[in-house]
Amino acid sequence: MSIFVPLQVENFEGICNNMQVNIKILKERNMFEFELIKEDKRTGARAGILHTPHGDIETPIYMPVGTRASVKALTPVQIKEVGTQILLANTYHLYLRPGESLIKKAGGIHKFMNWDGPVLTDSGGFQVFSLDGLRKISEEGVEFRSHIDGSAHMFTPEKVMQIESDIGADIIMALDECPAHDKDYDYVKKSMERTLRWAERCKAAKHNDAQALFGIIQGGMFKDLRIESAKATVAMDFPGNAIGGLSVGEAKPVMYEMLDTIMPYISKDKPRYLMGVGSPDCLLEGVERGVDMFDCVLQTRTARMGTALTSSGKLNMRNAKFQEDFGPLDTKCDCYACRNFSRAYIRHLVTMGEILGATLLSIHNIHFSLNLMKEIREAIIGDYFTEYKKEKLMEMGYAEGGMDS
């Protein structure tokens, strides 16, 4: 007669826990995978594909901003038709109104706004830290008062992870502090180190395997702090790395210098996201330095102000010279607005304050930016990015002697 003797394995519980952690990592990496397709031989420009649960994203990519689960003046159908691959939404604003619990009850951000593509939510850190006089920062987090009704709130890394989980975006951002560009070295150093500690807490608090958490590199305008932040953030092994605290008032050459400084320290096998940057010249300059993802409100905000982004530069559609101009906004653009309406008509809408003017200009500006990124990607893959960038900057008036870049 045989007797079954159970196998005795030392630290069996610890092994099981490690297996569960490894399975979780594998699941996340399967859902979120960055595939590098091509890297330009002469620059850091890259073309890739970011795989997400709600679809693939071809990079480099510009991401339109839908702050309150809406890209202003556009329907989801219009957003899709211009070629949008991924949208941004804002954690701070959605937390205040309508509240993350309502969005969760609706089935998440995708169902709530009827958008079936990928969504990224920022942590709300930039918005909170812009509330000068209405917030107080501590190691625990940041206390702030709502800009809507003055009510008191607290964002901690753990709280932000819960909010972003309830909202349900594909890519979520860690809570960070975004100091002003003119803060002194000691302040920025303490802020950067706190941001790193908050990133660790965000990573520990994240529990939704269907989301990818990106860390955020800070450090102000100080090279050594930027490098320190980049090294420490990359070491945390996030699925992607964001660069925050740029385009916050500093001159563009300073921003480019910071990018040049930190890029050698940021993983090549993961997407790199430059936060809050999206003017045509910055898209080209950022891509040249190895950035994969960009977002900016410029495209829709300037549209509501009556400005068109075109292949020949910015056009102020309030200008009287367009009153009898029956050509399209941009002869090189095939967006809905350019195919169907004249500069004269759009000027009429803008000067009369008609909502359709903002809609048509938003369609055009987003399409123009997305098409620019498509051309950039083709230039990288075709090994002519350097020539393309030079020609494009000159064409749009950003070259020497042209528009102020």
Side-chain angles (χ1 to χ4, degrees):
M1 185 176 84
S2 62
I3 300 175
F4 172 73
V5 180
L7 179 65
Q8 299 296 314
V9 179
E10 187 177 353
N11 195 24
F12 180 74
E13 183 178 350
I15 292 173
C16 289
N17 288 337
N18 286 335
M19 286 176 64
Q20 290 175 347
V21 170
N22 289 334
I23 290 170
K24 181 178 179 181
I25 292 172
L26 285 171
K27 281 183 178 179
E28 184 172 285
R29 286 181 178 170
N30 286 334
M31 289 184 192
F32 298 91
E33 181 183 358
F34 180 65
E35 185 180 352
L36 186 59
I37 303 298
K38 183 70 176 287
E39 189 167 10
D40 184 71
K41 297 174 182 177
R42 290 174 286 177
T43 69
R46 298 136 50 94
I49 302 175
L50 177 58
H51 304 283
T52 81
H54 282 89
D56 293 345
I57 303 161
E58 293 186 340
T59 63
I61 190 64
Y62 159 72
M63 303 179 285
V65 178
T67 301
R68 298 175 177 85
S70 169
V71 178
K72 287 182 172 58
L74 299 182
T75 68
V77 172
Q78 291 169 321
I79 298 165
K80 182 77 72 175
E81 286 178 346
V82 298
T84 301
Q85 297 184 54
I86 175 173
L87 286 179
L88 254 71
N90 183 272
T91 297
Y92 167 81
H93 288 287
L94 293 178
Y95 161 76
L96 291 178
R97 290 188 302 192
E100 74 278 12
S101 60
L102 187 144
I103 296 174
K104 183 179 181 180
K105 189 178 294 184
I109 188 71
H110 300 86
K111 289 186 178 180
F112 185 58
M113 66 183 296
N114 193 30
W115 172 255
D116 61 1
V119 176
L120 183 153
T121 47
D122 62 18
S123 67
F126 177 81
Q127 286 70 32
V128 168
F129 294 110
S130 66
L131 297 172
D132 193 26
L134 296 175
R135 47 97 171 134
K136 180 180 179 182
I137 307 167
S138 67
E139 185 64 28
E140 180 62 19
V142 55
E143 297 178 63
F144 64 95
R145 291 195 173 277
S146 165
H147 71 285
I148 299 169
D149 59 11
S151 56
H153 302 270
M154 178 78 173
F155 269 8
T156 66
E158 295 77 13
K159 176 68 173 178
V160 167
M161 289 299 96
Q162 172 257 305
I163 296 169
E164 293 196 86
S165 176
D166 289 349
I167 291 173
D170 301 89
I171 300 172
I172 62 176
M173 308 304 297
L175 180 64
D176 65 322
E177 180 184 355
C178 183
H181 70 97
D182 56 356
K183 290 292 186 180
D184 63 37
Y185 185 90
D186 288 342
Y187 182 94
V188 175
K189 180 176 174 61
K190 291 176 182 176
S191 168
M192 181 271 293
E193 291 171 345
R194 186 189 301 116
T195 288
L196 291 173
R197 293 191 294 272
W198 284 357
E200 290 278 16
R201 288 167 57 188
C202 284
K203 189 173 181 181
K206 176 186 173 293
H207 62 272
N208 188 341
D209 291 342
Q211 295 180 307
L213 172 64
F214 282 24
I216 304 178
I217 297 164
Q218 289 288 351
M221 307 304 143
F222 303 99
K223 291 183 179 181
D224 61 325
L225 298 183
R226 282 282 174 184
I227 291 172
E228 182 181 346
S229 178
K231 286 181 176 179
T233 303
V234 168
M236 294 183 206
D237 195 26
F238 292 103
N241 296 296
I243 304 158
L246 295 178
S247 191
V248 290
E250 81 281 6
K252 288 183 181 180
V254 175
M255 176 174 70
Y256 303 149
E257 185 180 6
M258 292 300 108
L259 290 175
D260 288 335
T261 297
I262 62 175
M263 278 305 177
Y265 302 94
I266 307 179
S267 308
K268 284 190 174 185
D269 61 343
K270 296 178 180 180
R272 300 160 170 171
Y273 166 30
L274 179 56
M275 305 179 75
V277 174
S279 65
D281 56 326
C282 288
L283 293 175
L284 285 158
E285 296 287 353
V287 167
E288 184 177 52
R289 290 162 172 81
V291 176
D292 305 299
M293 304 165 68
F294 303 81
D295 81 279
C296 195
V297 298
L298 176 141
Q299 281 70 7
T300 50
R301 181 173 290 170
T302 58
R304 297 193 301 277
M305 296 167 61
T307 298
L309 306 176
T310 76
S311 58
S312 58
K314 296 178 183 178
L315 301 181
N316 180 357
M317 298 313 298
R318 296 181 183 277
N319 198 311
K321 69 180 181 180
F322 299 124
Q323 185 171 357
E324 296 184 8
D325 188 338
F326 301 107
L329 287 171
D330 190 341
T331 57
K332 296 183 179 181
C333 180
D334 64 352
C335 76
Y336 172 77
C338 289
R339 292 197 317 269
N340 293 281
F341 303 98
S342 67
R343 291 177 174 182
Y345 178 65
I346 292 175
R347 179 186 181 275
H348 160 69
L349 296 175
V350 170
T351 55
M352 293 296 101
E354 291 289 339
I355 295 172
L356 182 58
T359 296
L360 293 177
L361 285 172
S362 294
I363 286 172
H364 169 76
N365 286 350
I366 293 176
H367 181 274
F368 172 82
S369 300
L370 291 170
N371 192 61
L372 176 64
M373 300 308 286
K374 182 180 178 181
E375 290 181 357
I376 289 172
R377 178 183 169 86
E378 291 171 354
I380 295 169
I381 294 173
D383 285 326
Y384 58 92
F385 171 74
T386 300
E387 293 79 10
Y388 172 84
K389 179 200 169 199
K390 182 178 180 181
E391 180 181 335
K392 204 69 180 177
L393 286 173
M394 187 172 297
E395 182 184 5
M396 292 187 294
Y398 288 108
E400 287 186 7
M403 291 169 54
D404 179 16
S405 62

